[in-house]
Amino acid sequence: METILRTLDRQLEVHRLLLELSEQKRQVIVAGDVERLMQITQKEGKLVRLAEQLETERAEAVQAYMRSRNMYVTSAITIQTLSKIAVRLEEKQALAERREELLGLIGKLKQANDLNRQLIQQSLAFITYSLDILLDPSDQEAVYHHPLQEQPAYQANSLFDRKA
């Protein structure tokens, strides 16, 4: 059981770091610092891989614990199920505390990631809108023209077109 608790503690630490990075990412997105965003994303990727590795270690530790109690299971055991199986009250409480903290961190992390996703989508929408305005001035309806008046023959395709 001690191995399981140590692995859970390491998982909690990784999730805390991921949440911290997610909050840093939000500030960087708002500031528009693409280089720093890439650095944070790389760190995040490493932490996600570590979280996956720790989850595998946790599952293996749970299987070993179950075998030591002469219980053999074929599917993954959740922390909640494990706390029901645990014999000592201290183990049950430790598992319950870690489970609650992990669920709380995962919930906060999901909210932070959703907010970051929305900020990125808004930034991309603004960039697309800005490019459309700069590169496609075919929206001539913004200026009133008398319908019987002849329109000029030359219309530029872009703000960046020049006569030679």
Side-chain angles (χ1 to χ4, degrees), residues 1-10 91 94-95 98:
M1 180 62 71
E2 199 59 39
T3 305
I4 296 169
L5 293 174
R6 276 195 311 270
T7 305
L8 286 171
D9 287 340
R10 290 175 59 203
E91 291 174 347
L95 286 168
R98 285 164 178 84

Side-chain angles (χ1 to χ4, degrees), residues 16-33 36-37 39-41 43-44 47 109 112-113 116 119:
R16 284 186 202 108
L17 290 171
L18 282 169
L19 183 59
E20 195 175 298
L21 282 178
S22 187
E23 291 168 0
Q24 288 177 16
K25 189 192 285 187
R26 181 180 62 243
Q27 295 169 359
V28 167
I29 290 169
V30 170
D33 188 350
R36 180 80 176 116
L37 181 62
Q39 293 170 354
I40 291 172
T41 303
K43 287 179 184 177
E44 233 177 11
L47 286 174
L109 192 55
N113 285 335
N116 288 342
L119 288 170

Side-chain angles (χ1 to χ4, degrees), residues 71-84:
M71 301 173 98
Y72 297 93
V73 290
T74 57
S75 62
I77 303 274
T78 63
I79 299 171
Q80 188 173 17
T81 304
L82 187 61
S83 66
K84 292 176 184 176

